[in-house]
Amino acid sequence: GAVVSQHPSRVICKSGTSVKIECRSLDFQATTMFWYRQFPKQSLMLMATSNEGSKATYEQGVEKDKFLINHASLTLSTLTVTSAHPEDSSFYICSAPGPDNQPQHFGDGTRLSIL
Amino acid sequence: DAKTTQPNSMESNEEEPVHLPCNHSTISGTDYIHWYRQLPSQGPEYVIHGLTSNVNNRMASLAIAEDRKSSTLILHRATLRDAAVYYCILSGGSNYKLTFGKGTLLTVNP
């Protein structure tokens, strides 16, 4: 079945560093991808909708200059957390609708820890 | 987005059936009912979805009330690997964003 691959699975870095997370759809094309964030013991919160060839759509309260999204191809969306700080530490997850109206498929998530 | 209401937690014994309820009284006519589950430190996994009729797949069954204001996810024989948070979500379709609630934490006892 359709698979979404997310990389890296874990990042530990110093405060002030910018971190890029990749989300790839394997064996299918995704013109739309979604980025979520999940804090410990909480549910997933949608951050933004990534649109191939156009600007991402951000949810209310999500800083677009802080969380840069680039959907440069039909199989790749990237989320860059710019100048990350400890409060940005979280579990970041992407998803993409499967082909032929299949349900959304999720990546395995990226655990980001900012020291 | 139409909201769903689920119990915070449920407990089951291994190899017994599990019925996970979900209330969605404000569901619209075009909303699909989706179920996903999430194991610790993993992304959510699709379980099943339906619109009006009951649905079965290799993982579970979905029973949808006639008025569509509630649904039940049925795991026919729970295993330890079914222990997860189960989310009931309403969505217009696969290309639509999913709004996650708190879900139901299912514990499966050996």
Side-chain angles (χ1 to χ4, degrees):
Chain A
V3 173
V4 172
S5 173
Q6 201 171 329
H7 178 80
S9 59
R10 184 171 183 109
V11 181
I12 302 172
C13 56
K14 293 180 179 179
S15 185
T17 306
S18 290
V19 178
K20 180 184 285 188
I21 303 170
E22 293 185 346
C23 181
R24 293 182 185 273
S25 58
L26 304 183
D27 299 325
F28 73 100
Q29 295 179 338
T31 56
T32 301
M33 292 184 178
F34 300 95
W35 286 96
Y36 296 82
R37 181 168 55 180
Q38 185 175 32
F39 292 108
K41 298 192 183 300
Q42 294 187 24
S43 188
L44 283 78
M45 286 184 55
L46 180 67
M47 299 175 66
T49 303
S50 175
N51 305 299
E52 189 270 333
S54 64
K55 291 182 180 179
T57 306
Y58 290 82
E59 295 299 301
Q60 191 172 8
V62 178
E63 300 175 56
K64 58 183 178 183
D65 295 330
K66 173 78 172 175
F67 300 99
L68 301 179
I69 292 173
N70 184 23
H71 197 145
S73 77
L74 288 170
T75 59
L76 174 64
S77 174
T78 60
L79 168 68
T80 300
V81 183
T82 62
S83 186
H85 292 285
E87 58 265 29
D88 298 321
S89 299
S90 189
F91 192 48
Y92 292 85
I93 308 167
C94 69
S95 73
D100 303 322
N101 282 325
Q102 288 183 30
Q104 286 191 32
H105 298 273
F106 286 79
D108 285 335
T110 297
R111 177 79 57 194
L112 176 61
S113 300
I114 308 297
L115 306 177
Chain B
D1 296 330
K3 280 191 172 180
T4 63
T5 305
Q6 299 177 252
N8 289 333
S9 63
M10 289 186 66
E11 207 167 317
S12 172
N13 294 321
E14 203 174 5
E15 298 192 3
E16 289 185 356
V18 181
H19 291 234
L20 297 165
C22 181
N23 288 322
H24 30 77
S25 58
T26 59
I27 189 171
S28 75
T30 56
D31 280 334
Y32 284 80
I33 302 159
H34 295 254
W35 284 83
Y36 285 80
R37 70 182 186 182
Q38 186 180 24
L39 279 67
S41 298
Q42 294 186 26
E45 175 188 26
Y46 167 77
V47 178
I48 201 166
H49 78 287
L51 184 62
T52 57
S53 303
N54 294 343
V55 185
N56 299 297
N57 66 20
R58 62 176 180 81
M59 289 182 70
S61 295
L62 176 59
I64 301 172
E66 200 169 325
D67 62 6
R68 299 210 324 128
K69 293 184 177 181
S70 65
S71 61
T72 302
L73 177 70
I74 302 166
L75 306 179
H76 296 284
R77 289 184 64 191
T79 69
L80 297 178
R81 291 185 299 175
D82 291 324
V85 178
Y86 286 78
Y87 297 98
C88 169
I89 303 168
L90 303 183
S91 175
S94 62
N95 286 326
Y96 289 74
K97 61 184 181 183
L98 299 177
T99 301
F100 285 78
K102 294 182 179 179
T104 296
L105 174 62
L106 175 66
T107 301
V108 180
N109 300 314

